[in-house]
Amino acid sequence: MGSVITFDIGNTRTKFAVFGADGTILDAGADCKIVDVMNRFDGSKVIYSSVLAEIDAHLADKIDFSVSLCRDIEILVRNTETLGKDRLAAVMGARFLFGCKNCLVIDAGTCITYDYLLDNGDYLGGAISMGIGMRYKALNAFTSKLPSLNTDEALDNFDDVGKETEGAIHSGVANGFFDEVNARIDRFRAKYDHSIVIFTGGDAKFLAKHIKYEIFVEPLLVHYGLYHAIQTA
């Protein structure tokens, strides 16, 4: 197989990766024009995953990632039609990169998702929660006086006790976010031996700095999953 372009089209950003014939990544980026990437790597196979209802016209005849392309995992969720393709692609990426291990895949983006893949290939499903940016925005949107903040304004100093409104918001949002993720990992590690935790998504590196466990961070996990899917199709 020649080169492969993978597109991960999310709620806020479009990301891409280009794989060479030997599986190495030739290029990757975000906030791209799909047609520009396709023109630069003309002749490549293209596979995409999108959470949006409408698809770019240039992808009309390209491979739309779906459940049918998942050859080496057993999907045990009740309704695959509502299963997010980005979540499924990330699980495929975990299987491709880490093989037969119990994997907790945490995608920290607009939403934060938790997906559970067992060493025998069973994909159990997972959980969806608000991402850290959404939590900050919600406090501002659904109250009359709380300001709009973000993690950059906290300078990574998230005290348990805020001395003013801004500090209290950072404590509640950021520390609540970290506590949620750590608790998920606690339960996963207690239940499954020989387990690993993989972070991906736009907030993965930021989140990883505040997690008490050793974890893997792979920003291109979804793309590896898409590449794996097209290889086994």
Side-chain angles (χ1 to χ4, degrees):
M1 180 180 289
S3 58
V4 174
I5 304 172
T6 60
F7 289 105
D8 173 20
I9 305 168
N11 289 298
T12 56
R13 307 179 77 193
T14 293
K15 289 83 69 179
F16 77 93
V18 183
F19 292 81
D22 61 353
T24 58
I25 293 181
L26 305 177
D27 195 9
D31 299 326
C32 57
K33 287 187 177 181
I34 288 172
V35 64
D36 290 345
V37 177
M38 292 172 62
N39 286 339
R40 282 173 52 209
F41 297 93
D42 189 35
S44 300
K45 283 195 172 183
V46 177
I47 182 170
Y48 68 92
S49 164
S50 177
V51 301
L52 305 180
E54 295 187 6
I55 302 301
D56 187 291
H58 296 94
L59 296 175
D61 60 345
K62 307 307 179 184
I63 300 174
D64 182 5
F65 175 67
S66 65
V67 171
S68 64
L69 296 177
C70 300
R71 300 281 194 254
D72 60 350
I73 63 173
E74 184 72 20
I75 302 172
L76 301 181
V77 302
R78 292 177 181 172
N79 186 356
T80 58
E81 292 183 2
T82 61
L83 177 60
K85 293 182 179 181
D86 52 342
R87 293 175 58 195
L88 187 56
V91 169
M92 287 286 286
R95 188 69 169 177
F96 176 62
L97 292 177
F98 297 94
C100 300
K101 294 183 179 180
N102 295 313
C103 298
L104 174 59
V105 179
I106 300 177
D107 189 339
T110 303
C111 295
I112 184 166
T113 59
Y114 307 88
D115 287 287
Y116 297 73
L117 175 68
L118 302 189
D119 54 8
N120 64 358
D122 285 352
Y123 169 47
L124 306 181
I128 303 172
S129 184
M130 292 194 299
I132 192 166
M134 190 183 297
R135 298 176 195 217
Y136 276 113
K137 290 177 182 177
L139 284 180
N140 172 250
F142 293 103
T143 65
S144 61
K145 294 185 178 180
L146 293 182
S148 177
L149 303 178
N150 58 61
T151 54
D152 294 337
E153 295 166 313
L155 300 177
D156 271 3
N157 182 21
F158 304 107
D159 294 328
D160 277 342
V161 180
K163 301 300 184 183
E164 70 293 308
T165 299
E166 288 78 4
I169 291 174
H170 288 306
S171 177
V173 172
N175 287 325
F177 189 61
F178 307 146
D179 290 347
E180 174 188 315
V181 175
N182 276 312
R184 282 274 173 184
I185 298 173
D186 284 343
R187 295 197 296 272
F188 180 75
R189 287 167 56 94
K191 190 170 185 179
Y192 300 106
D193 294 329
H194 310 295
S195 59
I196 62 172
V197 179
I198 310 153
F199 283 6
T200 192
D203 289 326
K205 291 182 179 180
F206 163 74
L207 179 58
K209 294 188 296 183
H210 300 275
I211 297 303
K212 63 185 180 182
Y213 292 112
E214 179 181 353
I215 52 87
F216 295 92
V217 177
E218 179 46 73
L220 298 178
L221 188 65
V222 168
H223 297 279
Y224 279 108
L226 295 174
Y227 177 74
H228 182 43
I230 203 171
Q231 290 288 316
T232 56

